[in-house]
Amino acid sequence: MSRTVRRTAAALLALGALAYTAWVLEVLVHTGLDPVRTYVSELAAADQPLGGLFRATDFAAGLLVLSGALTGLAGAWRACGSGAPGHKGRDPWAVGGWIALAVFGAATVADSRLPLSCAPTADPVCAARETAGLVPATHAAHAVSSSLAMTGALAALVALTVAARRHDRRLPLARTGPALVALEFAATAWTLAAVAAFEAGKGLWALGAGQRLQVLLVAVWLAVLAYSLARSPAGDGRRERR
């Protein structure tokens, strides 16, 4: 992957990571939602006063990550498939990881266009309407796009971290990626358990805190990936570690 491609992808991913953490603005502005109990996506609900802002930042984050992932994929595909001396062919971990990251970006864009109509964890009336199936179809569509986004993110975290360790274990992603992956899976397990408890009427189990940790770790990983791309040594050859 050329230096220009690496730096372009790094810049796009770094900006995407920044936009993906826009929800931390709830520390500075009053949203009326409890960050320990509510979904992050409820900040962007149609009935929330700052919903438009958070939908815009979600859209920007998804578009930036999608652009960065496609840039990285194109660069990796051209570089590793060039047949030049020192190349060992396309790394399936890298190619799969960039594709998964593109899925995450595209699904995040879809998320921003499919907002919840209300905040079910904060509004009992909204929760009752959702249970009764009286909310707009965007609620179900949002659940699908959110699940697809997180699946893509988890796959990208694993695949690109493995690719970094195969390429050069001195890279920041190769050194810190495994710990971030482990933490991300733990945060995801917490979030899924909390969602299941909420849907079963057994409380929230600090759902908001778990999900905020989940998305924060994705943003941190994106930032580390961007830094690793910017720091990667010149040259397209891949030194495979066994």
Side-chain angles (χ1 to χ4, degrees), residues 1-193:
M1 190 184 298
S2 71
R3 178 177 298 176
T4 299
V5 171
R6 285 199 315 273
R7 289 183 173 177
T8 300
L12 290 167
L13 293 172
L15 291 172
L18 183 63
Y20 199 58
T21 57
W23 54 269
V24 301
L25 291 173
E26 67 184 339
V27 175
L28 303 175
V29 298
H30 178 69
T31 65
L33 298 176
D34 182 353
V36 176
R37 298 169 57 86
T38 58
Y39 289 110
V40 175
S41 57
E42 288 176 308
L43 292 167
D47 68 344
Q48 295 302 304
L50 296 177
L53 169 64
F54 289 112
R55 289 193 295 274
T57 55
D58 279 351
F59 179 81
L63 193 60
L64 286 164
V65 172
L66 175 60
S67 300
L70 293 177
T71 300
L73 176 62
W77 192 269
R78 286 197 301 267
C80 295
S82 65
H87 290 298
K88 298 181 182 294
R90 296 187 179 99
D91 181 355
W93 288 102
V95 172
W98 286 118
I99 292 172
L101 193 60
V103 169
F104 164 69
T108 300
V109 169
D111 247 6
S112 72
R113 302 298 90 191
L114 298 167
L116 301 173
S117 63
C118 52
T121 63
D123 182 356
V125 174
C126 176
R129 291 178 60 231
E130 191 173 63
T131 301
L134 300 177
V135 292
T138 51
H139 279 241
H142 184 87
V144 172
S145 60
S146 293
S147 298
L148 185 59
M150 192 48 60
T151 299
L154 291 172
L157 260 71
V158 172
L160 290 176
T161 296
V162 171
R165 290 179 65 80
R166 285 163 57 88
H167 175 74
D168 187 346
R169 294 198 178 190
R170 296 171 298 176
L171 292 173
L173 184 61
R175 297 197 309 268
T176 64
L180 288 172
V181 169
L183 289 171
E184 178 63 26
F185 273 91
T188 299
W190 175 5
T191 302
L192 291 175

